[in-house]
Amino acid sequence: MHRRGIIGAAGALLSLPARAQAPRWSPSRPVRIVVGVAPGVGTIDLTARSVADPMAEVLGQPVVVENRPGAGGIIAVEAVARSPADGHTLLLAGADQIVHSFILADRPPMDPFRDFTPIARATRDHWMVVATPGLGVGSLAELAEAGKRRPGELTYASFGVGTWFHILGARLSQRLGFEATHVPYRGDYTSDLLSARISFLAQPTALLMPHVQAGRLRALAVLSPERLPALPDVPTILEAGYPDLSFNMGVVLFAPGGTPAPIVARISEAYDRAAANPAARGRLADLSLELVGGGVEQARDYTRWMVGYIDEAREKVLGATR
Protein backbone atom coordinates (compact mmCIF):
# COMPACT_ATOMS: atom_id res chain seq x y z
CA MET A 1 0.00 0.00 0.00
CA HIS A 2 1.27 3.48 -0.86
CA ARG A 3 2.09 5.89 1.95
CA ARG A 4 -0.92 8.01 1.06
CA GLY A 5 -3.12 4.93 1.32
CA ILE A 6 -1.75 4.04 4.76
CA ILE A 7 -2.31 7.56 6.04
CA GLY A 8 -5.79 7.62 4.58
CA ALA A 9 -6.71 4.30 6.24
CA ALA A 10 -5.40 5.48 9.58
CA GLY A 11 -7.39 8.68 9.28
CA ALA A 12 -10.51 6.72 8.52
CA LEU A 13 -10.02 4.57 11.62
CA LEU A 14 -9.53 7.63 13.78
CA SER A 15 -12.73 9.14 12.46
CA LEU A 16 -14.79 6.14 13.60
CA PRO A 17 -16.71 6.56 16.87
CA ALA A 18 -14.82 5.17 19.86
CA ARG A 19 -15.92 1.60 20.57
CA ALA A 20 -17.75 1.33 23.86
CA GLN A 21 -15.90 -0.58 26.57
CA ALA A 22 -17.23 -4.05 27.23
CA PRO A 23 -19.42 -3.93 30.34
CA ARG A 24 -17.92 -5.40 33.48
CA TRP A 25 -19.31 -8.73 34.61
CA SER A 26 -22.20 -8.60 37.03
CA PRO A 27 -24.13 -11.54 38.53
CA SER A 28 -27.55 -12.25 37.05
CA ARG A 29 -28.98 -13.77 40.24
CA PRO A 30 -28.08 -13.99 43.97
CA VAL A 31 -24.51 -15.03 44.80
CA ARG A 32 -24.04 -17.81 47.36
CA ILE A 33 -21.13 -17.93 49.81
CA VAL A 34 -20.95 -21.54 51.00
CA VAL A 35 -19.40 -22.25 54.40
CA GLY A 36 -18.69 -25.62 55.96
CA VAL A 37 -20.06 -24.85 59.42
CA ALA A 38 -23.50 -24.48 60.96
CA PRO A 39 -25.08 -21.02 61.31
CA GLY A 40 -23.50 -19.02 64.10
CA VAL A 41 -20.60 -21.43 64.53
CA GLY A 42 -17.03 -20.17 64.32
CA THR A 43 -15.37 -17.25 62.61
CA ILE A 44 -16.08 -18.42 59.05
CA ASP A 45 -19.84 -18.01 59.36
CA LEU A 46 -19.40 -14.69 61.15
CA THR A 47 -17.07 -13.42 58.42
CA ALA A 48 -19.38 -14.49 55.61
CA ARG A 49 -22.37 -12.74 57.19
CA SER A 50 -20.34 -9.58 57.85
CA VAL A 51 -19.27 -9.14 54.22
CA ALA A 52 -22.44 -10.37 52.47
CA ASP A 53 -24.35 -7.08 52.43
CA PRO A 54 -21.36 -4.86 51.51
CA MET A 55 -20.52 -7.24 48.64
CA ALA A 56 -24.14 -7.16 47.48
CA GLU A 57 -24.00 -3.36 47.26
CA VAL A 58 -21.10 -3.65 44.80
CA LEU A 59 -22.39 -6.60 42.78
CA GLY A 60 -25.98 -5.44 42.47
CA GLN A 61 -27.43 -8.79 43.56
CA PRO A 62 -28.11 -10.27 47.00
CA VAL A 63 -25.22 -12.24 48.55
CA VAL A 64 -26.49 -15.07 50.74
CA VAL A 65 -24.65 -17.37 53.13
CA GLU A 66 -25.32 -21.08 52.65
CA ASN A 67 -24.29 -23.36 55.52
CA ARG A 68 -23.22 -26.89 54.59
CA PRO A 69 -21.61 -28.31 57.73
CA GLY A 70 -20.12 -31.74 58.14
CA ALA A 71 -17.15 -33.98 57.32
CA GLY A 72 -14.56 -31.37 58.29
CA GLY A 73 -15.68 -29.03 55.52
CA ILE A 74 -15.66 -31.66 52.76
CA ILE A 75 -19.40 -31.33 52.05
CA ALA A 76 -19.11 -27.60 51.42
CA VAL A 77 -15.88 -27.96 49.43
CA GLU A 78 -17.31 -30.59 47.11
CA ALA A 79 -20.53 -28.64 46.59
CA VAL A 80 -18.64 -25.59 45.34
CA ALA A 81 -16.12 -27.60 43.29
CA ARG A 82 -19.04 -29.13 41.37
CA SER A 83 -20.76 -25.78 40.79
CA PRO A 84 -20.61 -23.89 37.49
CA ALA A 85 -17.65 -21.51 37.26
CA ASP A 86 -19.93 -18.55 36.63
CA GLY A 87 -19.36 -16.43 39.75
CA HIS A 88 -22.64 -17.27 41.44
CA THR A 89 -21.27 -19.85 43.91
CA LEU A 90 -18.29 -19.13 46.16
CA LEU A 91 -16.54 -20.92 49.02
CA LEU A 92 -15.25 -19.27 52.19
CA ALA A 93 -12.80 -21.68 53.78
CA GLY A 94 -9.28 -22.34 54.90
CA ALA A 95 -6.99 -24.04 52.43
CA ASP A 96 -6.73 -26.88 54.95
CA GLN A 97 -10.36 -27.78 54.25
CA ILE A 98 -9.59 -28.20 50.56
CA VAL A 99 -6.42 -30.24 51.11
CA HIS A 100 -6.04 -31.70 54.60
CA SER A 101 -9.67 -32.59 55.33
CA PHE A 102 -9.55 -34.97 52.38
CA ILE A 103 -6.23 -36.46 53.50
CA LEU A 104 -7.73 -37.14 56.93
CA ALA A 105 -10.65 -38.90 55.25
CA ASP A 106 -8.24 -41.10 53.24
CA ARG A 107 -9.32 -39.42 50.01
CA PRO A 108 -7.25 -37.70 47.32
CA PRO A 109 -7.00 -34.03 48.27
CA MET A 110 -8.37 -31.33 46.04
CA ASP A 111 -6.04 -28.77 44.52
CA PRO A 112 -6.73 -25.19 45.67
CA PHE A 113 -5.37 -23.88 42.36
CA ARG A 114 -6.87 -26.40 39.93
CA ASP A 115 -10.20 -27.29 41.53
CA PHE A 116 -10.63 -23.75 42.88
CA THR A 117 -9.64 -20.19 42.08
CA PRO A 118 -8.40 -18.09 45.04
CA ILE A 119 -10.11 -14.70 44.89
CA ALA A 120 -9.26 -12.90 48.13
CA ARG A 121 -7.59 -13.54 51.44
CA ALA A 122 -10.65 -12.94 53.55
CA THR A 123 -9.33 -12.66 57.09
CA ARG A 124 -6.28 -12.46 59.28
CA ASP A 125 -7.09 -14.45 62.39
CA HIS A 126 -5.34 -14.10 65.72
CA TRP A 127 -4.92 -17.18 67.90
CA MET A 128 -4.21 -17.56 71.58
CA VAL A 129 -3.30 -20.22 74.14
CA VAL A 130 -5.70 -20.51 77.05
CA ALA A 131 -5.93 -22.64 80.18
CA THR A 132 -8.75 -23.29 82.60
CA PRO A 133 -8.43 -21.22 85.80
CA GLY A 134 -8.52 -24.35 87.92
CA LEU A 135 -5.20 -25.45 86.43
CA GLY A 136 -3.57 -22.62 88.38
CA VAL A 137 -1.20 -21.40 85.66
CA GLY A 138 -0.74 -17.86 84.41
CA SER A 139 1.94 -18.21 81.74
CA LEU A 140 3.34 -20.65 79.23
CA ALA A 141 6.26 -21.31 81.57
CA GLU A 142 3.86 -22.30 84.34
CA LEU A 143 1.88 -24.47 81.89
CA ALA A 144 5.12 -26.25 80.97
CA GLU A 145 5.92 -26.83 84.66
CA ALA A 146 2.44 -28.22 85.33
CA GLY A 147 2.67 -30.52 82.34
CA LYS A 148 6.05 -31.87 83.39
CA ARG A 149 4.83 -32.53 86.92
CA ARG A 150 1.80 -34.42 85.61
CA PRO A 151 2.90 -36.19 82.40
CA GLY A 152 -0.03 -37.28 80.26
CA GLU A 153 -2.63 -35.79 82.61
CA LEU A 154 -3.16 -32.42 80.96
CA THR A 155 -5.62 -32.54 78.05
CA TYR A 156 -6.30 -30.49 74.94
CA ALA A 157 -9.21 -30.74 72.49
CA SER A 158 -9.71 -30.75 68.74
CA PHE A 159 -12.33 -31.57 66.14
CA GLY A 160 -10.59 -34.85 65.28
CA VAL A 161 -7.30 -36.69 64.88
CA GLY A 162 -5.02 -34.93 62.41
CA THR A 163 -7.04 -31.70 62.26
CA TRP A 164 -5.23 -28.39 62.58
CA PHE A 165 -6.39 -27.94 66.19
CA HIS A 166 -4.94 -31.38 67.00
CA ILE A 167 -1.65 -30.62 65.28
CA LEU A 168 -1.34 -27.23 66.96
CA GLY A 169 -2.11 -28.57 70.44
CA ALA A 170 0.39 -31.39 69.97
CA ARG A 171 3.03 -29.03 68.63
CA LEU A 172 2.52 -26.66 71.56
CA SER A 173 2.93 -29.34 74.24
CA GLN A 174 5.87 -30.79 72.31
CA ARG A 175 7.66 -27.43 72.28
CA LEU A 176 6.86 -26.83 75.96
CA GLY A 177 8.45 -30.16 76.76
CA PHE A 178 5.65 -32.22 78.23
CA GLU A 179 3.31 -34.99 77.17
CA ALA A 180 -0.39 -34.08 76.94
CA THR A 181 -3.43 -36.16 76.06
CA HIS A 182 -5.39 -35.30 72.94
CA VAL A 183 -9.19 -35.49 73.27
CA PRO A 184 -10.94 -35.44 69.85
CA TYR A 185 -14.54 -34.25 69.61
CA ARG A 186 -17.15 -34.62 66.90
CA GLY A 187 -18.80 -31.34 67.85
CA ASP A 188 -18.38 -28.33 70.10
CA TYR A 189 -16.20 -28.87 73.17
CA THR A 190 -16.64 -25.44 74.75
CA SER A 191 -18.68 -26.74 77.68
CA ASP A 192 -15.98 -29.28 78.57
CA LEU A 193 -13.32 -26.58 78.32
CA LEU A 194 -15.23 -24.22 80.61
CA SER A 195 -15.89 -27.03 83.10
CA ALA A 196 -12.14 -27.87 83.19
CA ARG A 197 -12.47 -31.30 81.58
CA ILE A 198 -10.07 -29.86 79.01
CA SER A 199 -6.90 -28.29 80.48
CA PHE A 200 -5.65 -26.00 77.72
CA LEU A 201 -5.78 -25.36 73.98
CA ALA A 202 -4.82 -22.98 71.20
CA GLN A 203 -7.71 -21.59 69.22
CA PRO A 204 -8.77 -18.45 67.30
CA THR A 205 -9.02 -15.47 69.61
CA ALA A 206 -12.47 -14.61 68.24
CA LEU A 207 -13.88 -17.82 69.72
CA LEU A 208 -12.15 -17.45 73.09
CA MET A 209 -12.32 -13.71 73.75
CA PRO A 210 -15.74 -13.61 75.47
CA HIS A 211 -14.70 -16.35 77.89
CA VAL A 212 -11.33 -14.73 78.62
CA GLN A 213 -12.92 -11.34 79.25
CA ALA A 214 -15.48 -12.96 81.57
CA GLY A 215 -12.73 -14.73 83.54
CA ARG A 216 -13.87 -18.21 82.57
CA LEU A 217 -10.57 -18.89 80.78
CA ARG A 218 -7.05 -17.56 81.34
CA ALA A 219 -5.08 -16.27 78.32
CA LEU A 220 -1.42 -17.35 78.45
CA ALA A 221 -0.09 -16.04 75.12
CA VAL A 222 -1.18 -14.80 71.71
CA LEU A 223 0.37 -16.46 68.67
CA SER A 224 0.49 -13.27 66.60
CA PRO A 225 3.83 -11.43 66.27
CA GLU A 226 2.32 -8.43 68.08
CA ARG A 227 0.22 -7.99 71.21
CA LEU A 228 -3.50 -7.47 70.66
CA PRO A 229 -5.16 -4.16 71.62
CA ALA A 230 -8.01 -6.10 73.24
CA LEU A 231 -5.52 -8.07 75.39
CA PRO A 232 -2.63 -5.67 75.99
CA ASP A 233 -1.31 -7.54 79.03
CA VAL A 234 -1.12 -10.94 77.32
CA PRO A 235 2.40 -11.61 75.93
CA THR A 236 3.11 -12.88 72.47
CA ILE A 237 4.49 -16.34 71.82
CA LEU A 238 7.71 -14.60 70.69
CA GLU A 239 8.04 -12.86 74.04
CA ALA A 240 7.53 -16.22 75.72
CA GLY A 241 10.50 -17.60 73.78
CA TYR A 242 8.87 -19.72 71.06
CA PRO A 243 9.18 -17.76 67.81
CA ASP A 244 8.62 -20.86 65.67
CA LEU A 245 5.04 -21.08 67.00
CA SER A 246 4.15 -17.55 65.89
CA PHE A 247 1.63 -17.27 63.06
CA ASN A 248 -1.61 -15.74 61.82
CA MET A 249 -4.11 -17.88 59.99
CA GLY A 250 -7.22 -16.85 58.08
CA VAL A 251 -9.67 -17.97 55.44
CA VAL A 252 -9.85 -17.41 51.70
CA LEU A 253 -12.71 -16.64 49.34
CA PHE A 254 -12.60 -19.18 46.50
CA ALA A 255 -14.49 -19.63 43.24
CA PRO A 256 -14.70 -22.94 41.37
CA GLY A 257 -11.68 -23.78 39.23
CA GLY A 258 -11.67 -22.27 35.78
CA THR A 259 -13.71 -19.19 36.69
CA PRO A 260 -13.01 -16.57 33.98
CA ALA A 261 -10.67 -13.73 34.88
CA PRO A 262 -13.25 -10.91 34.48
CA ILE A 263 -15.53 -12.63 36.99
CA VAL A 264 -12.66 -13.22 39.42
CA ALA A 265 -11.61 -9.58 39.16
CA ARG A 266 -15.12 -8.32 39.80
CA ILE A 267 -15.69 -10.51 42.86
CA SER A 268 -12.24 -9.62 44.18
CA GLU A 269 -13.14 -5.95 43.84
CA ALA A 270 -16.42 -6.53 45.68
CA TYR A 271 -14.63 -8.30 48.52
CA ASP A 272 -12.01 -5.55 48.80
CA ARG A 273 -14.80 -2.98 49.09
CA ALA A 274 -16.51 -5.10 51.74
CA ALA A 275 -13.26 -5.55 53.67
CA ALA A 276 -12.93 -1.76 53.86
CA ASN A 277 -16.52 -1.27 55.01
CA PRO A 278 -16.48 0.32 58.50
CA ALA A 279 -19.55 -1.57 59.70
CA ALA A 280 -18.16 -4.94 58.59
CA ARG A 281 -14.75 -4.22 60.11
CA GLY A 282 -16.25 -2.97 63.35
CA ARG A 283 -18.40 -6.05 63.72
CA LEU A 284 -15.29 -8.22 63.80
CA ALA A 285 -12.76 -5.91 65.46
CA ASP A 286 -13.95 -6.63 69.01
CA LEU A 287 -13.08 -10.28 68.41
CA SER A 288 -9.60 -9.42 67.05
CA LEU A 289 -10.58 -10.68 63.61
CA GLU A 290 -9.36 -8.59 60.66
CA LEU A 291 -10.81 -8.39 57.18
CA VAL A 292 -8.01 -8.38 54.61
CA GLY A 293 -8.75 -8.44 50.87
CA GLY A 294 -5.81 -7.26 48.79
CA GLY A 295 -6.38 -8.93 45.46
CA VAL A 296 -5.98 -12.23 43.68
CA GLU A 297 -2.19 -12.49 43.89
CA GLN A 298 -2.21 -12.05 47.65
CA ALA A 299 -4.91 -14.73 47.88
CA ARG A 300 -2.77 -17.14 45.87
CA ASP A 301 0.36 -16.43 47.91
CA TYR A 302 -1.46 -16.87 51.19
CA THR A 303 -3.12 -20.12 50.06
CA ARG A 304 0.27 -21.52 49.05
CA TRP A 305 1.81 -20.50 52.39
CA MET A 306 -1.02 -21.96 54.46
CA VAL A 307 -0.86 -25.39 52.80
CA GLY A 308 2.93 -25.50 53.25
CA TYR A 309 2.78 -24.34 56.88
CA ILE A 310 0.28 -27.01 57.87
CA ASP A 311 2.17 -29.69 55.94
CA GLU A 312 5.36 -28.81 57.83
CA ALA A 313 3.61 -28.83 61.20
CA ARG A 314 2.01 -32.20 60.45
CA GLU A 315 5.40 -33.71 59.68
CA LYS A 316 6.78 -32.48 63.01
CA VAL A 317 4.07 -33.96 65.23
CA LEU A 318 2.30 -36.87 63.54
CA GLY A 319 3.64 -40.15 64.76
CA ALA A 320 4.47 -38.60 68.13
CA THR A 321 0.88 -37.70 69.04
CA ARG A 322 -2.10 -39.58 70.28
Side-chain angles (χ1 to χ4, degrees), residues 238-263:
L238 279 75
E239 292 170 327
Y242 302 95
D244 55 314
L245 296 180
S246 177
F247 72 92
N248 292 106
M249 282 289 184
V251 293
V252 176
L253 186 66
F254 293 96
T259 299
I263 297 177

Side-chain angles (χ1 to χ4, degrees), residues 244-322:
D244 55 314
L245 296 180
S246 177
F247 72 92
N248 292 106
M249 282 289 184
V251 293
V252 176
L253 186 66
F254 293 96
T259 299
I263 297 177
V264 171
R266 181 70 167 143
I267 297 173
S268 179
E269 176 195 0
Y271 190 86
D272 280 355
R273 295 269 294 276
N277 181 278
R281 296 184 69 86
R283 186 177 180 185
L284 302 177
D286 290 342
L287 299 174
S288 293
L289 184 63
E290 301 175 42
L291 295 174
V292 180
V296 175
E297 285 303 318
Q298 182 170 336
R300 290 173 182 162
D301 290 345
Y302 173 72
T303 299
R304 194 172 292 111
W305 172 85
M306 185 178 185
V307 172
Y309 185 88
I310 295 176
D311 280 343
E312 182 180 356
R314 283 171 60 87
E315 290 176 5
K316 288 178 179 177
V317 302
L318 289 183
T321 61
R322 51 161 130 178

Side-chain angles (χ1 to χ4, degrees), residues 72-97:
I74 287 177
I75 294 172
V77 168
E78 288 186 329
V80 176
R82 291 194 299 263
S83 297
D86 61 4
H88 291 90
T89 304
L90 308 172
L91 174 71
L92 188 65
D96 56 318
Q97 291 177 281

Side-chain angles (χ1 to χ4, degrees), residues 4-24:
R4 185 171 61 184
I6 294 173
I7 294 173
L13 288 173
L14 290 172
S15 68
L16 292 175
R19 180 178 295 178
Q21 271 192 329
R24 292 192 300 170

Side-chain angles (χ1 to χ4, degrees), residues 197-244:
R197 293 187 181 92
I198 299 300
S199 308
F200 72 97
L201 53 71
Q203 192 170 276
T205 301
L207 303 179
L208 299 171
M209 186 74 77
H211 303 301
V212 170
Q213 292 174 332
R216 292 186 291 266
L217 294 173
R218 185 166 294 164
L220 306 183
V222 296
L223 302 183
S224 303
E226 68 284 340
R227 292 197 182 197
L228 302 184
L231 298 168
D233 297 327
V234 178
T236 69
I237 198 81
L238 279 75
E239 292 170 327
Y242 302 95
D244 55 314

Side-chain angles (χ1 to χ4, degrees), residues 77 91 93-102 109-112 116 254:
V77 168
L91 174 71
D96 56 318
Q97 291 177 281
I98 294 174
V99 178
H100 301 98
S101 291
F102 286 82
M110 289 200 174
D111 188 316
F116 291 89
F254 293 96

